[in-house]
Amino acid sequence: MALYSEKVMDHFRNPRNVGVIENANGIGEVGNAKCGDIMKMYLLIEDDIVKDVKFETFGCGSAIASSSMATEMIKGKPLSEVRELTNKAVAEALDGLPDYKMHCSVLAEEAIKNALEDYEKRKAEKKLS
Ligand code: FES
């Protein structure tokens, strides 16, 4: 059996939503201290919906495939759904990752959570000013 599913290979070779959103209102960056990989997520949120999402990942193939799939899973979705996204759901959508690569999908969940926190922080700051 191949180590990686066709979906993993597809999202690794043709990652969706790569890049930067200049006017993003939620940005999250996470890294894995062990492997040194870094993932950055840009969210453009309007009316509690993820209107656009882009990512930059300096990392392994599984991390790139996970970020690509995660962005596809949250694009156009309400924040209530986006908050519930787990790394397990991302890995399942990729038809699985090898056990020792599951931590790569954790980066995607964490980057999105960080970006959501950043969005909430900006929103709160705006209300205060
Ligand atoms: Fe570092 Fe995959 S090996 S995120």
Side-chain angles (χ1 to χ4, degrees):
M1 206 189 97
L3 189 54
Y4 293 109
S5 71
E6 272 177 38
K7 271 196 194 161
V8 172
M9 292 312 292
D10 177 35
H11 279 264
F12 166 58
R13 290 197 180 111
N14 310 294
R16 285 43 151 199
N17 309 307
V18 176
V20 174
I21 300 177
E22 295 297 343
N23 58 339
N25 51 10
I27 300 175
E29 186 174 332
V30 288
N32 181 311
K34 275 193 190 151
C35 62
D37 291 352
I38 296 167
M39 190 183 290
K40 198 164 179 180
M41 282 279 170
Y42 299 85
L43 301 179
L44 181 63
I45 298 166
E46 274 169 32
D47 303 324
D48 280 350
I49 304 255
V50 174
K51 290 276 176 207
D52 200 8
V53 50
K54 291 209 185 297
F55 78 91
E56 291 176 309
T57 293
F58 179 79
C60 73
S62 298
I64 291 169
S66 296
S67 1
S68 169
M69 179 56 89
T71 56
E72 288 286 272
M73 290 170 86
I74 65 168
K75 206 173 191 176
K77 294 280 162 51
L79 296 191
S80 54
E81 257 181 66
V82 175
R83 281 191 200 101
E84 300 300 313
L85 185 80
T86 62
N87 76 298
K88 234 181 121 206
V90 173
E92 269 164 24
L94 287 167
D95 290 338
L97 283 170
D99 279 352
Y100 67 96
K101 283 283 177 185
M102 278 305 281
H103 73 273
C104 315
S105 62
V106 173
L107 279 186
E109 179 188 325
E110 287 180 345
I112 290 170
K113 294 224 156 94
N114 275 11
L116 285 175
E117 269 171 34
D118 181 49
Y119 169 72
E120 298 295 347
K121 218 171 93 192
R122 290 181 195 219
K123 216 168 92 172
E125 276 166 11
K126 241 189 190 173
K127 272 189 192 147
L128 285 177
S129 60

